[in-house]
Amino acid sequence: RDMVTRYGRVFLWNHPDSGIAYLLQTDPCSIGDALRAAWSYQPSPSAPLSPPLKLVTCPLPESVPLATGIFEPSKSYVLLGGIGSLGLQQAHWMYQNGARELLLTSRSAREGLRRRHDYTALRYLDYLEKLPGLRIIVAATGSAPTEELKKAVGALKLPVGGCFILSGVLVDRSFVSQTEETFEAPFPAKVDAFKLVEEVLPVEKLDFLVTFSSVSGMFGNAGQTNYARYELC
């Protein structure tokens, strides 16, 4: 980019915003202009090196894939703690990148959202369930997480390809106000989730197992000494 003039453009091969595939779909004329500009600088046909560039008009494809899907449509994916706002956004991103069957879980699922009056999350979940080609199972693990998760996984039509652990519990208090119980509260949501995955899912056959962390473990956050301690561990 440093080598072009202020009116120049750079065409990067696979960049999401200025790559060839993106421009063919959004601004194909710019590609033609670039080729014609290059053609004008070609040597004459009598030159011993570099034969002249010949432009050939060909029909553009109806659609150009901008990126290769990260997730496989032939597999399903599990999101533990996937009912919260972060989990729903994660599910949407996975759909945009190839996933077509998702299992979203939490302790109380939709009922928890209604109890908290989280209507934004409820509408987001409703939107996801109406996306074409996407199958979503919403499961509440409740007081019997192992049995409930096994039941939910059994309802999947596709083999499980991977799992994201997004579960988390916050008990925000100043350090002097923490009790032993409140200080240890964030741990089970993450640690027990690993045990649950080992009991229910074939971990050795998964493409990935990812758990979400937080910057609070590095930078800290007011009232979250207990959560930051977990993140450091």
Side-chain angles (χ1 to χ4, degrees):
R1 289 192 176 98
D2 293 337
M3 297 177 64
V4 300
T5 66
R6 56 179 300 188
Y7 300 107
R9 295 186 63 179
V10 176
F11 297 88
L12 302 176
W13 179 250
N14 59 353
H15 193 277
D17 296 326
S18 57
I20 301 299
Y22 179 81
L23 291 171
L24 282 175
Q25 188 177 50
T26 59
D27 186 17
C29 292
S30 64
I31 303 295
D33 292 341
L35 291 175
R36 289 182 178 87
W39 187 27
S40 65
Y41 286 98
Q42 288 293 308
S44 64
S46 60
L49 298 177
S50 183
L53 177 65
K54 295 182 180 180
L55 296 182
V56 179
T57 302
C58 59
L60 292 173
E62 294 183 0
S63 63
V64 179
L66 302 184
T68 303
I70 300 174
F71 305 98
E72 298 185 31
S74 60
K75 296 182 180 181
S76 62
Y77 299 94
V78 178
L79 282 74
L80 296 182
I83 306 299
S85 59
L86 180 61
L88 296 177
Q89 294 178 38
Q90 175 77 5
H92 191 201
W93 172 76
M94 294 175 70
Y95 168 76
Q96 292 175 319
N97 287 274
R100 290 297 177 264
E101 186 174 51
L102 300 174
L103 170 58
L104 310 183
T105 73
S106 73
R107 288 180 293 275
S108 52
R110 276 189 175 86
E111 183 57 36
L113 298 177
R114 296 190 185 99
R115 190 166 53 247
R116 299 193 302 271
H117 305 291
D118 193 347
Y119 300 115
T120 300
L122 285 169
R123 292 186 65 181
Y124 203 162
L125 181 57
D126 182 63
Y127 165 75
L128 292 176
E129 291 178 322
K130 294 178 181 178
L131 288 173
L134 178 61
R135 180 172 185 258
I136 284 186
I137 297 177
V138 179
T141 53
S143 58
T146 303
E147 290 72 17
E148 292 296 334
L149 184 58
K150 285 182 179 179
K151 180 180 177 181
V153 171
L156 294 171
K157 295 181 179 180
L158 304 174
V160 179
C163 176
F164 288 97
I165 299 178
L166 302 100
S167 55
V169 171
L170 297 178
V171 184
D172 293 356
R173 297 184 180 184
S174 63
F175 183 75
V176 296
S177 300
Q178 294 280 1
T179 65
E180 181 178 354
E181 180 181 351
T182 61
F183 197 76
E184 298 295 330
F187 282 75
K190 295 287 189 181
V191 177
D192 291 353
F194 276 104
K195 298 178 182 179
L196 184 61
V197 169
E198 290 179 332
E199 293 176 358
V200 178
L201 300 179
V203 178
E204 68 282 354
K205 297 181 180 180
L206 297 179
D207 297 331
F208 63 84
L209 173 59
V210 178
T211 180
F212 276 53
S213 184
S214 171
V215 296
S216 64
M218 179 174 295
F219 300 106
N221 198 18
Q224 293 186 347
T225 52
N226 52 354
Y227 194 74
R229 174 174 175 264
Y230 159 74
E231 297 297 342
L232 288 174
C233 293

